[in-house]
């Protein structure tokens, strides 16, 4: 039996589609992100409950283009929690893998 190779660490979106997605993610972050934190290979995001549809859409879309990252929706108390886990082989650069999901300066912080 042949070992299964891990998914390549690369987004499958075109440059134009990535730019469009990044704009949408920044808007979602500004509007609904309550907090975030990164711990090793995991990033924890907490969103306002009224953003559930957009958060579910984000997770679905990200699973399609960045299948090297694992996304888990968790029920939260008064929030929607998303846990994003990076691959073990990216341990040094995990924060770079999450950069498109982490708010820019001046938006929600951990």
């Amino acid at each position: 039996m042949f070992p299964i190779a891990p998914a390549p660490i690369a987004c499958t979106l075109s440059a134009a589609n990535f730019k469009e997605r990044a704009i949408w993610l920044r808007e979602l972050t500004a509007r609904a992100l309550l907090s975030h934190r990164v711990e090793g290979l995991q990033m924890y995001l907490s969103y306002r409950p009224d953003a559930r549809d957009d958060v579910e859409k984000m997770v679905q879309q990200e699973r399609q283009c960045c299948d090297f990252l694992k996304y888990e929706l968790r029920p939260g108390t008064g929030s929607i929690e998303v846990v994003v886990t990076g691959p073990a082989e990216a341990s040094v650069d995990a924060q770079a893998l999450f950069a498109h999901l982490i708010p820019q300066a001046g938006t929600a912080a951990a």
Side-chain angles (χ1 to χ4, degrees):
M1 180 174 268
F2 297 102
I4 298 173
I9 300 176
C11 178
T12 60
L13 292 175
S14 68
N17 288 342
F18 182 83
K19 183 177 179 179
E20 183 178 306
R21 175 81 52 86
I23 291 168
W24 186 81
L25 287 169
R26 279 195 300 275
E27 291 170 354
L28 175 62
T29 295
R31 176 174 44 87
L33 187 68
L34 298 171
S35 66
H36 77 282
R37 72 182 191 282
V38 176
E39 295 178 4
L41 292 175
Q42 292 187 307
M43 181 171 60
Y44 300 85
L45 303 162
S46 178
Y47 293 92
R48 294 171 24 157
D50 61 338
R52 175 170 297 281
D53 290 344
D54 284 337
V55 171
E56 289 175 351
K57 177 181 175 180
M58 175 201 62
V59 167
Q60 179 186 26
Q61 289 177 340
E62 291 295 307
R63 283 177 176 159
Q64 291 174 2
C65 67
C66 298
D67 69 347
F68 59 90
L69 296 174
K70 303 303 175 214
Y71 288 81
E72 178 185 356
L73 282 167
R74 293 182 180 172
T77 304
S79 66
I80 302 161
E81 307 292 328
V82 178
V83 180
V84 185
T85 304
E89 59 271 16
S91 62
V92 174
D93 296 324
Q95 191 127 2
L97 295 177
F98 303 140
H100 68 291
L101 298 169
I102 297 174
Q104 302 296 312
T107 62

